[in-house]
Amino acid sequence: MSKDYGQFCGLAKAARVLGERWALLIIRDLSIGSRRFKDLHDGLPGVPTSVLTARLRELEEAGVVERRAAAPPHRGVVYELTPYGRELQPALDALGRWGALRMAAPEPEDIITGSSLAAALRAGYQPGAAAPAATYLVHAGPATAWAHTEGGELTVGAGPPEADPDLVIRAGPQLRLLLAGRLSPAEALRRGMVEIEGPHAAFEAFAAAFQVPLEADLHSAETIGEGRS
Amino acid sequence: MSKDYGQFCGLAKAARVLGERWALLIIRDLSIGSRRFKDLHDGLPGVPTSVLTARLRELEEAGVVERRAAAPPHRGVVYELTPYGRELQPALDALGRWGALRMAAPEPEDIITGSSLAAALRAGYQPGAAAPAATYLVHAGPATAWAHTEGGELTVGAGPPEADPDLVIRAGPQLRLLLAGRLSPAEALRRGMVEIEGPHAAFEAFAAAFQVPLEADLHSAETIGEGRS
DNA sequence: CCGAATCCGGCATGATACTG
DNA sequence: CAGTATCATGCCGGATTCGG
């Protein structure tokens, strides 16, 4: 293995598998749900098909990704994470939170996908917020994702949810500031930055349950008691 | 930014900075303490100096690493993490634990460094174990690191500690099995796989306070109550 | 259409040598 | 000690082509 770092170190072994270009984003999308080759290609603009093929093969060989025959309605293949790959979730979420620390507003060329939105919601979930069971449908610009909270447990997905949502949130890039706690739910509605369909209280619960801090707010967020240990 | 993935996603932004070759290992070493160019080069066998230079420059530009004049006794420069870089620690630890899941025994060419050993101890620390304040000096083959626990807080470092340790542990690759919970402290001593200098109880406390599970033991470790949420 | 394989230019990496 | 210079190799990005 010429790509191995030659160190008996978990981080070194992880870096060998995850350090290749596009690998983390492929895993991000698969961590939200199973995907076909085209789904991945569409959700990762810029990845050459050759690289996507190579990466999927490597991840399969590493035991992170599994290639399966698609369910009856479709034909072809679907890719999904193995149980070993699903163990990556805490690390993915931690990395995502770190990367979001300096991500206040999108660059002009930045896109948002359903999978990345779902991953952000998962990374920001506060199990301690103890919200009532609810299903949220979130539109951030062109991207759509859903989250279902129930008894401290969270389920997320890209696209619209199967069940009818309790609350629909329609926002633009301002959603980032809401998740960072920079913008209160009431203020967001008052200024027209976010539109909702559903009870106001559900929106308050959403804002409390999903928090992705910005670097400058780290200390204050912790002292307020919303911080992650 | 041709290297950016063009997505408004924390994971994508993190991958851009951390996905370059050697970046995670450089940050790992710096997360243990400040390092000079030569320290990093010695601790990362195989990295070309040109790549190390380039990576340090990029990480500095990204605000992760800081380049400073060395403290008076020496001259030259030292590299260290910025506060922003130190925010990576939870993600580093999570990645390290994941990478260690399938790392039962070292490959023939795998080396262990003081920094990687210190990082492993940090990743495996169980704040809940509530051990008494203690300083441990750990030798794993040629590598040396120390850990100090005090009231749930942990400090680690590479090489020998400044203060006299309460317990000295001398082990080979078998230390991995001890950290995984596959080998009990008593058994390790009885079979001569680990040698200690210090009270037996301190060794028991060490084994309880530092746990880095293997994949096959994940479920049992959780049911036993030693798991990470 | 889906899931790739192929070809090609360019850049990053790895190895080695060299310098202030 | 702390890098810079040079060069062969190989991976990545982009486009096209191909089989089912």
Side-chain angles (χ1 to χ4, degrees):
Chain A
M1 306 281 177
S2 60
K3 304 289 292 299
D4 194 90
Y5 289 99
Q7 302 205 357
F8 189 61
C9 162
L11 202 50
K13 299 303 180 188
R16 159 154 171 47
V17 176
L18 310 175
E20 307 287 316
R21 191 133 171 95
W22 297 103
L24 274 174
L25 296 194
I26 292 168
I27 293 170
R28 176 199 69 188
D29 281 19
L30 293 179
S31 77
I32 304 303
S34 61
R35 296 282 186 274
R36 332 241 314 246
F37 190 91
K38 186 178 189 304
D39 298 331
L40 291 169
H41 190 251
D42 291 349
L44 304 171
V47 62
T49 59
S50 53
V51 171
L52 183 51
T53 303
R55 215 52 79 231
L56 284 168
R57 227 180 283 285
E58 290 164 16
L59 290 172
E60 195 181 350
E61 206 162 337
V64 175
V65 164
E66 200 171 8
R67 180 192 154 97
R68 282 200 350 205
H74 306 277
R75 52 187 168 167
V77 288
V78 290
Y79 295 91
E80 54 187 35
L81 292 189
T82 63
Y84 177 53
R86 283 194 288 274
E87 292 294 332
L88 262 169
Q89 190 187 308
L92 291 182
D93 292 345
L95 276 173
R97 284 190 297 266
W98 182 80
L101 284 178
R102 292 198 170 175
M103 202 180 74
E107 305 287 320
E109 71 278 14
D110 276 355
I111 65 166
I112 305 185
T113 70
S115 294
S116 73
L117 180 57
L121 292 175
R122 194 183 57 200
Y125 182 56
Q126 312 281 328
T135 299
Y136 305 99
L137 169 56
V138 184
H139 299 277
T144 300
W146 59 269
H148 177 77
T149 62
E150 188 165 3
E153 294 296 302
L154 173 72
T155 317
V156 298
E162 296 186 5
D164 276 346
D166 301 294
L167 177 70
V168 179
I169 300 173
R170 222 174 292 272
Q174 312 284 6
L175 180 66
R176 176 72 191 95
L177 301 180
L178 183 79
L179 290 174
R182 285 268 181 94
L183 188 66
S184 73
E187 183 100 348
L189 291 178
R190 197 169 52 73
R191 296 213 208 167
M193 293 164 162
V194 176
E195 295 175 20
I196 65 171
E197 294 173 23
H200 204 282
F203 187 42
E204 296 277 355
F206 172 86
F210 297 93
Q211 285 289 314
V212 182
L214 286 164
E215 186 183 10
D217 301 330
L218 262 191
H219 180 47
S220 60
E222 278 165 9
T223 52
I224 290 173
E226 296 282 343
R228 227 170 323 281
S229 74
Chain B
M1 306 277 181
S2 60
K3 302 291 292 299
D4 194 89
Y5 289 99
Q7 301 205 358
F8 189 61
C9 162
L11 202 49
K13 299 304 181 188
R16 159 153 171 50
V17 176
L18 309 175
E20 307 287 316
R21 192 135 170 92
W22 297 103
L24 273 175
L25 297 193
I26 292 168
I27 292 170
R28 176 199 68 188
D29 280 19
L30 293 178
S31 77
I32 304 302
S34 61
R35 296 281 185 276
R36 318 225 251 138
F37 190 91
K38 187 179 187 304
D39 299 330
L40 291 169
H41 190 250
D42 291 349
L44 303 172
V47 63
T49 56
S50 53
V51 170
L52 183 51
T53 303
R55 216 52 79 231
L56 285 168
R57 226 181 285 285
E58 290 164 16
L59 290 172
E60 195 182 351
E61 206 161 336
V64 175
V65 163
E66 200 172 7
R67 179 192 154 98
R68 283 202 349 208
H74 305 277
R75 53 189 166 163
V77 288
V78 290
Y79 294 91
E80 54 188 35
L81 292 188
T82 62
Y84 178 53
R86 284 194 287 275
E87 293 293 332
L88 263 169
Q89 190 187 309
L92 291 181
D93 292 346
L95 276 174
R97 284 190 297 267
W98 183 82
L101 283 179
R102 293 198 170 176
M103 201 180 74
E107 305 287 320
E109 70 278 14
D110 276 354
I111 65 166
I112 305 185
T113 70
S115 294
S116 73
L117 180 57
L121 292 174
R122 193 183 58 200
Y125 182 57
Q126 311 282 328
T135 300
Y136 304 98
L137 170 55
V138 184
H139 298 278
T144 300
W146 59 269
H148 177 78
T149 62
E150 189 165 359
E153 294 296 304
L154 172 72
T155 318
V156 298
E162 296 186 5
D164 277 345
D166 300 294
L167 176 71
V168 180
I169 300 174
R170 222 174 294 273
Q174 313 285 5
L175 181 66
R176 176 72 191 92
L177 301 180
L178 182 80
L179 290 174
R182 284 266 181 97
L183 189 65
S184 73
E187 182 101 347
L189 291 177
R190 197 168 54 72
R191 295 213 208 168
M193 291 162 162
V194 176
E195 295 174 21
I196 66 172
E197 294 172 24
H200 203 283
F203 187 42
E204 295 277 355
F206 172 86
F210 298 92
Q211 284 289 314
V212 182
L214 285 164
E215 186 184 10
D217 301 330
L218 262 191
H219 181 44
S220 59
E222 278 167 8
T223 53
I224 289 174
E226 297 281 342
R228 229 170 321 283
S229 76

